[in-house]
């Protein structure tokens, strides 16, 4: 969950919205398993499927793993939903992010 910049009396509510909009524990495990399958070496997958530790000494690139997860889970989409709920509840406007450029 991202760090929440909001008045103290609203943080618990916002955190609950993040939990509601985020994947369940079961879905999180499915996402993690899919990410491992996409991003680790086949030899490591083989070893892990047999209950042994991975053979590679280097971890998959974190940035690449995040990019390969976007079809499974998009944290920005969750943040947008939470922001919309916040503004509906507390009467603010949602300012779309400026285009990268």
């Amino acid at each position: 969950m991202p760090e929440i910049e909001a008045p103290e009396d609203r943080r618990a509510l916002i955190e609950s919205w993040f939990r509601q909009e985020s994947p369940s524990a079961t879905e999180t495990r499915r996402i993690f398993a899919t990410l491992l399958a996409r991003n680790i070496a086949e030899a490591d997958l083989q070893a892990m499927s047999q209950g042994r530790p991975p053979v590679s000494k280097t971890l998959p690139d974190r940035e690449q793993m995040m990019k390969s997860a976007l079809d499974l889970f998009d944290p920005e989409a969750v943040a947008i939903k939470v922001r919309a709920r916040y503004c509906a509840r507390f009467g603010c406007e949602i300012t779309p992010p400026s285009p990268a450029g």
Side-chain angles (χ1 to χ4, degrees):
M1 184 171 352
E3 186 167 328
I4 297 171
E5 294 181 25
E8 186 67 37
D9 61 329
R10 297 179 183 178
R11 283 194 192 136
L13 177 62
I14 296 166
E15 287 173 359
S16 74
W17 289 341
F18 268 101
R19 284 190 299 276
Q20 290 170 12
E21 297 294 342
S22 295
S24 67
T26 299
E27 184 66 8
T28 299
R29 284 190 296 274
R30 186 191 70 75
I31 291 168
F32 186 70
T34 302
L35 283 176
L36 278 177
R38 287 179 179 177
N39 290 283
I40 67 171
E42 190 171 334
D44 290 337
L45 255 169
Q46 192 77 11
M48 292 170 69
S49 71
Q50 297 170 358
R52 296 183 324 222
V55 293
S56 297
K57 300 300 178 201
T58 48
L59 296 172
D61 179 68
R62 179 172 160 60
E63 186 175 325
Q64 179 57 38
M65 282 191 72
M66 294 304 290
K67 285 179 184 176
S68 73
L70 291 178
D71 65 318
L72 302 170
F73 173 69
D74 183 359
E76 184 60 28
V78 171
I80 289 168
K81 289 178 184 178
V82 171
R83 192 175 306 123
R85 288 176 79 171
Y86 182 91
C87 288
R89 174 84 171 257
F90 297 109
C92 62
E93 285 187 34
I94 299 175
T95 306
S98 57

